[in-house]
Amino acid sequence: MVWYVGEPGIEELVAQTLRSLSDTTVPICVEPATAEPVGLYVQLKVDGHYLEDEVGGAAMDALFAEHEGFLLPAQVGIGRPFYPSRLIHTILAVPGAEAVRRIRWNWSLLPHDTFGLSPGAGRYFAFAPEMTLLSGEEWSSGF
C-alpha cells in the first residue's frame, strides 16, 4: 500500500510511476492519505530584546515555510509519529524565542512528558496552528 498527500484522482499516475521503477511482479496499490486535522496552539515567551511580531513571524516561517516548514505534510510524513520535543526545538531555534510554556493540541493541554503521538497508518497530521506570544507579566498567566 502506498499513500500520498495531494490532489484526489492521481492514484493511477502515482501507481504507473512506481510500476515503471519496480519489478513487474510487485503489487502496487495507491490511495490518498487521510488528514487528521490538528489545532495547535503554542504559548511562546519572547525575549524582551526582540520585537514580538518579528519573532512570531520567524517562528511561523520555521513551522510553515514553503517546501521546508517543520509542520508541512511533506515534513510531518504519513503515518509517522509527531514528537512535541522536535516542535519545541524548532521554535526555540528562532532568535528571540525564549521559552515554550504550553502546547495545546485540539484545545487539550499537551503534558510536558508526551513522547510522541501517532496519526495511524495511512494518516497524517494536518496542522493549523496559532501562536500566542507572551512577554513580561503576561507570562505568568495561562491560556
Side-chain angles (χ1 to χ4, degrees):
M1 176 66 66
V2 175
W3 293 287
Y4 72 92
V5 176
E7 296 296 319
I10 63 167
E11 295 86 350
E12 189 54 38
L13 176 62
V14 173
Q16 286 175 356
T17 301
L18 292 174
R19 283 188 191 100
S20 72
L21 300 170
S22 305
D23 185 283
T24 56
T25 61
V26 174
I28 296 175
C29 180
V30 178
E31 290 184 9
T34 303
E36 280 292 323
V38 174
L40 184 65
Y41 306 90
V42 177
Q43 189 178 34
L44 173 64
K45 183 177 182 185
V46 175
D47 183 318
H49 296 98
Y50 290 81
L51 297 174
E52 289 185 5
D53 289 345
E54 289 181 10
V55 174
M60 292 301 285
D61 285 347
L63 300 177
F64 287 101
E66 189 173 357
H67 304 296
E68 59 189 35
F70 177 73
L71 295 180
L72 295 178
Q75 301 297 333
V76 172
I78 299 168
R80 288 178 37 199
F82 173 79
Y83 299 102
S85 60
R86 291 187 62 220
L87 171 70
I88 293 167
H89 176 79
T90 300
I91 293 171
L92 293 181
V94 172
E98 193 170 281
V100 172
R101 182 174 185 204
R102 291 190 177 115
I103 300 171
R104 288 195 181 271
W105 183 277
N106 289 335
W107 291 106
S108 296
L109 189 61
L110 197 62
H112 289 289
D113 61 353
T114 301
F115 178 70
L117 302 159
S118 175
R123 305 175 86 74
Y124 65 97
F125 292 124
F127 293 96
E130 294 180 13
M131 299 290 281
T132 301
L133 302 176
L134 302 174
S135 63
E137 56 279 346
E138 294 175 317
W139 180 246
S140 61
S141 66
F143 84 113

